[in-house]
Amino acid sequence: MRYLPNGKQMSEADAHTIHKIGIPSLVLMERAALQIVETMQKKNISTEKSLIVCGSGNNGDGFAVARLLTEQGKHADVLFAGKEASLSEECRCQKQIVENMGISVFTEFPDEEYTVIIDAVFGVGLCREITGHYKDVIDWMNLQDAEKVAVDIPSGICAATGKILGTAFRADLTVCMACVKLGCELFPGKSYAGESIPVAIGIDPKYFSNRLDVCYTFDKHDLGKLLPARMMNSHKGSYGKVLIIAGNETMSGAACFAAEAALRMGAG
């Protein structure tokens, strides 16, 4: 089973992990950055020359990614698109470390070419339309000739509906913290997220198990457990009979789909 939380639900899980479980926010940030770098490497995304675009708030993962790539001997630059006054304490700490290491932090668009652009501008809490400076930043990112990776969710996609909030980052890969967000599974958000991969950072997805308001879906492993084993000497009558009442003379689509599904599942 895969849980698909929205932004509010994910923020509650994050707060539970920090305040109830006791894992500090800075630790979660570090683990997220490690998973982002590792996932890019597994997907053979070239990080030889990376630009990490960071916003404000608590989105310090991007700064940490820049540090980790630099420690690996890669070239990493940061484009800071946010506001200094709006940084959380943890995010400010990550930014300061990057600056102490001598990593380039731009506030204007760099005149460079990169192998990958990493989007860490907005998190899952975005609920307003993107305009002005932030719109210019995201539109510029989309125009760059590089592979594109989003952190948690592409900036500009609503985590609850998949709606485009004015403009949105077009990712080839989205590295999702703990769970794929609902907005990455609903269109048009899904077409902007590219391949969405959930990674473990210390937030347990089982937190959502008793939440009836959280969407979920089954994967192939779940379906394999739900379907009964088929006997080698069975026939279609061994697995019950299905009566489908659907459609009419001019609307047969639903009836056809239902009948085909029952046939494929092996019902009599």
Side-chain angles (χ1 to χ4, degrees):
M1 180 182 292
R2 292 193 300 119
Y3 294 102
L4 303 171
N6 60 32
K8 180 176 181 294
Q9 293 159 349
M10 197 65 224
S11 295
E12 290 168 355
D14 190 62
H16 173 81
T17 303
I18 294 168
H19 301 297
K20 298 294 185 181
I21 305 299
I23 301 176
S25 175
L26 201 59
V27 172
L28 295 178
M29 208 174 274
E30 283 292 312
R31 294 172 79 169
L34 285 165
Q35 289 281 20
I36 292 163
V37 172
E38 184 176 320
T39 303
M40 288 193 296
Q41 292 170 343
K42 286 180 179 178
K43 288 296 176 179
N44 295 317
I45 291 176
S46 174
T47 55
E48 288 302 316
K49 193 170 183 182
S50 306
L51 177 68
I52 302 92
V53 187
C54 299
S56 304
N58 199 42
N59 300 322
D61 337 48
F63 292 108
V65 167
R67 186 192 78 244
L68 292 172
L69 290 174
T70 301
E71 290 173 352
Q72 291 182 358
K74 313 292 186 182
H75 180 100
D77 292 335
V78 173
L79 172 59
F80 179 49
K83 299 177 181 178
E84 194 76 31
S86 300
L87 294 174
S88 70
E89 181 181 347
E90 293 83 1
C91 192
R92 193 182 306 279
C93 174
Q94 295 285 10
K95 182 173 182 287
Q96 187 63 59
I97 292 170
V98 162
E99 292 172 341
N100 291 345
M101 291 178 65
I103 296 171
S104 296
V105 179
F106 301 103
T107 54
E108 301 291 336
F109 299 137
D111 187 20
E112 301 277 350
E113 292 184 356
Y114 296 92
T115 58
V116 62
I117 305 290
I118 301 168
D119 165 31
V121 180
F122 291 109
V124 297
L126 183 70
C127 57
R128 59 178 174 80
E129 290 228 337
I130 296 175
T131 58
H133 171 65
Y134 288 115
K135 182 179 186 303
D136 292 341
V137 170
I138 292 172
D139 290 344
W140 177 86
M141 291 161 67
N142 285 335
L143 289 174
Q144 301 312 297
D145 184 18
E147 291 190 90
K148 298 181 175 69
V149 176
V151 174
D152 216 11
I153 190 168
S155 291
I157 297 297
C158 175
T161 66
K163 179 183 176 183
I164 301 169
L165 299 172
T167 189
F169 181 69
R170 284 191 174 274
D172 302 302
L173 170 69
T174 299
V175 184
C176 306
M177 306 309 134
C179 303
V180 175
K181 307 309 176 289
L182 183 59
C184 289
E185 288 292 308
L186 300 176
F187 282 91
K190 189 174 180 68
S191 61
Y192 279 72
E195 182 181 7
S196 296
I197 298 179
V199 295
I201 65 168
I203 300 173
D204 190 351
K206 290 181 181 177
Y207 169 81
F208 301 114
S209 60
N210 295 319
R211 294 282 300 270
L212 298 179
D213 59 330
V214 177
C215 294
Y216 65 89
T217 185
F218 293 118
D219 55 26
K220 290 182 179 180
H221 178 70
D222 295 313
L223 295 177
K225 292 187 295 184
L226 290 171
L227 297 176
R230 297 181 70 85
M231 298 176 291
M232 293 181 66
N233 63 342
S234 63
H235 54 82
K236 70 175 185 178
S238 304
Y239 301 100
K241 298 179 180 179
V242 175
L243 170 65
I244 296 169
I245 303 173
N248 60 33
E249 290 181 357
T250 60
M251 295 185 177
S252 60
C256 290
F257 285 142
E260 185 175 342
L263 178 65
R264 290 189 176 189
M265 296 297 284

